[in-house]
Amino acid sequence: MKKIVINGGNRLHGSVCISGAKNAAVAIIPAIILSDGVCRIENIPNIMDVNLLVNILHQMGAAVRRIDKSTLEIDPRRINSSFANYDAIRKMRASCYLLGALLGKFSEAEVALPGGCDFGVRPIDQHLKGFSVLGAENSVSGGMIKLKSNGLKGGHVYLDVVSVGATINTMLAAVKAEGKTIIENAAREPHVVDLANFLNSMGADVRGAGTDVIKINGVKHLNGTTYTIIPDQIEAGTYMAAAAATQGDVTLKNVITKHLESITAKLREMGVQVEEYDDCIRVCSEGRLHRCNVKTMPHPGFPTDMQPQIAVLLSVADGTSIVTEGVWDNRFKYIDELKRMGADVSVDGKVAVIQGVDTLKGAPVKATDLRAGAAMIVAGLSAQGTTYIEDTDHIERGYEDVVEKFASLGADIRVVYTDDTVVQRA
Ligand code: EPU
């Protein structure tokens, strides 16, 4: 079995380049299905979720050419079926975007039910609501979701909850629908805006992305395009947290500082020095972190995908902090792992009360999901002694070259198999 092994205590220093945003890439790749031409996508992160989606498109008939590590050219013109039933779909939540994209292209779709991180119930009722307003009926049988319509027509979609996935899926279905679609109570995440910019670069007419009302005038054709994906807000936030946890001095390159504002504000509250420049950010930390309270919310609130990493920082901060999860029902599974490292945390429903301890101590732990795994790395880097992280696949779903990047910042981190053969020392 593969494990990440960390000997904690090294102060991180130097600079690291942030990769393209996972959650933008996993929306943009399915969106390529809607195009009538070749799409060249730059700054694509080389991570498992993205590579699985690219393979799915390839299996569906798209021609895929890798130009270099972070640039792909995808020609979707040979995709001629609205049916997608591949093993990879059941592994990842983002495969549900195939529904919106195939529906938008063919006015019908049949896609395997998506998988993804387990944070409790992950309904798609709001996605189906969006499709239904546009004229698509849905049914589920044999693990497949089926959507059928007699041609999509624009409509007024009011989302009952702010949902990134439902916003994106409705956009995908609506860009080529006849007439105007309005999405109210839309998600405002940077990756929603990036998808809108990508669609517009193909000739779509999407306005208002980044606000809670998105207006889409359907168009008949979408052209090929060249598009550069935004930097990953959460990868950046994770390296910021790691710099703070190790009393380090780290400069993150290729970031959009505006996307990091809620994270920057919390780190400053904790006594961390954050300097913002045009497309980079420097994070320095000395001495003990201060306690604070954090509540996760849809953008521009504090991102739920940074909740585990910030909880690690608070577990070694002065005093008692309260972390409230405002997006998911059950996103504290990793706390049991953190407690193995000596953290003092009690969880009641969606609230974690964290009493800061002097230091975490290395231990064998599991990555219970993607961001929980990232948090275990941050914990391991700051801990005394050795941390062994199992189930590293979760981490590779969303972090490009994570071991190499941390090692380049001075971390003592490597990958081993359970027989303890070192397979990679970056
Ligand atoms: N929800 C519903 N009905 C729906 C859809 C969502 O009730 O039809 C609820 C969910 O149960 C949840 C809330 O709405 O309580 C927000 O869910 P959302 O739809 O926004 O989440 P998602 O689209 O499934 C994306 C990210 C997640 C991130 C959330 C919230 C992708 C591929 N995934 O998920 O990212 O946590 O938005 O920001 O974009 C990650 O990257 O680690 C990750 C899990």
Side-chain angles (χ1 to χ4, degrees), residues 92-385:
M92 132 188 81
R93 179 70 172 175
S95 54
C96 70
Y97 297 147
L98 293 170
L99 277 171
L102 289 172
L103 181 64
K105 174 93 173 177
F106 298 108
S107 300
E108 60 177 24
E110 189 171 354
V111 177
L113 278 163
C117 291
D118 177 10
F119 312 136
V121 186
R122 294 189 75 170
I124 58 163
D125 57 301
Q126 299 302 305
H127 303 229
L128 299 178
K129 180 179 185 177
F131 299 148
S132 152
V133 170
L134 298 177
E137 283 176 14
N138 69 77
S139 59
V140 177
S141 80
M144 303 289 288
I145 307 181
K146 227 183 202 177
L147 300 169
K148 267 194 153 189
S149 80
N150 296 319
L152 298 172
K153 291 210 170 57
H156 206 125
V157 181
Y158 185 90
L159 297 177
D160 299 326
V161 291
V162 180
S163 159
V164 171
T167 304
I168 286 178
N169 247 338
T170 307
M171 284 164 73
L172 293 172
V175 271
K176 290 179 89 176
E178 195 187 316
K180 186 170 188 159
T181 298
I182 298 177
I183 309 172
E184 306 248 23
N185 202 23
R188 292 177 280 171
E189 268 64 6
H191 29 290
V192 173
V193 179
D194 211 33
L195 173 67
N197 289 339
F198 170 68
L199 292 169
N200 287 342
S201 79
M202 295 199 292
D205 182 356
V206 181
R207 299 169 196 207
T211 74
D212 56 6
V213 183
I214 298 178
K215 295 181 179 160
I216 302 165
N217 287 306
V219 295
K220 285 218 158 62
H221 298 290
L222 292 174
N223 316 311
T225 185
T226 296
Y227 190 78
T228 305
I229 290 179
I230 52 166
D232 196 301
Q233 174 202 27
I234 306 300
E235 188 197 17
T238 303
Y239 283 92
M240 291 168 81
T246 60
Q247 317 227 319
D249 181 348
V250 173
T251 299
L252 282 69
K253 295 183 182 161
N254 184 35
V255 297
I256 297 176
T257 51
K258 176 100 188 119
H259 295 170
L260 301 172
E261 274 173 354
S262 59
I263 301 165
T264 298
K266 274 298 152 195
L267 290 181
R268 284 186 175 144
E269 216 178 308
M270 296 171 74
V272 178
Q273 203 184 320
V274 184
E275 294 167 18
E276 297 170 334
Y277 301 95
D278 281 350
D279 62 354
C280 64
I281 200 159
R282 180 176 172 204
V283 181
C284 315
S285 169
E286 268 179 39
R288 209 158 150 76
L289 300 168
H290 309 319
R291 63 155 300 280
C292 71
N293 296 336
V294 178
K295 177 165 185 183
T296 69
M297 286 187 221
H299 193 79
F302 189 88
T304 172
D305 295 341
M306 276 301 296
Q307 183 255 94
Q309 302 89 313
I310 205 89
V312 169
L313 296 187
L314 296 173
S315 73
V316 287
D318 247 345
T320 307
S321 306
I322 295 174
V323 175
T324 308
E325 174 55 44
V327 177
W328 296 109
D329 285 339
N330 186 2
R331 205 170 189 173
F332 284 125
K333 281 192 179 163
Y334 70 91
I335 292 288
D336 283 340
E337 304 302 309
L338 200 53
K339 282 180 170 174
R340 288 166 168 274
M341 300 180 71
D344 181 354
V345 188
S346 59
V347 176
D348 185 4
K350 292 182 168 190
V351 179
V353 179
I354 305 177
Q355 181 66 53
V357 294
D358 285 345
T359 179
L360 295 174
K361 300 208 168 65
V365 292
K366 284 197 165 90
T368 53
D369 63 57
L370 166 60
R371 307 304 174 187
M376 289 306 119
I377 293 184
V378 175
L381 293 170
S382 89
Q384 277 176 0

Side-chain angles (χ1 to χ4, degrees), residues 1-8 48 238-239 337 341 362-383 385-407 411-426:
M1 185 202 292
K2 197 173 173 185
K3 289 182 186 173
I4 291 177
V5 181
I6 302 169
N7 290 310
M48 211 190 287
T238 303
Y239 283 92
E337 304 302 309
M341 300 180 71
V365 292
K366 284 197 165 90
T368 53
D369 63 57
L370 166 60
R371 307 304 174 187
M376 289 306 119
I377 293 184
V378 175
L381 293 170
S382 89
T386 308
T387 297
Y388 300 85
I389 306 175
E390 282 180 19
D391 295 346
T392 58
D393 280 8
H394 285 298
I395 304 171
E396 285 158 16
R397 281 188 38 220
Y399 288 86
E400 178 168 315
D401 296 339
V402 68
V403 168
E404 289 85 347
K405 284 188 184 182
F406 275 117
D412 183 347
I413 181 170
R414 64 195 193 280
V415 172
V416 300
Y417 284 112
T418 31
D419 66 2
D420 276 0
T421 314
V422 177
V423 292
Q424 179 189 355
R425 187 188 278 276

Side-chain angles (χ1 to χ4, degrees), residues 7-47:
N7 290 310
N10 290 4
R11 296 177 74 159
L12 298 188
H13 60 89
S15 65
V16 63
C17 195
I18 298 306
S19 300
K22 167 180 96 74
N23 288 345
V26 297
I28 286 172
I29 291 162
I32 292 172
I33 293 173
L34 292 160
S35 176
D36 301 317
V38 179
C39 296
R40 187 183 176 114
I41 312 294
E42 298 168 344
N43 206 30
I44 287 205
N46 192 5
I47 52 176

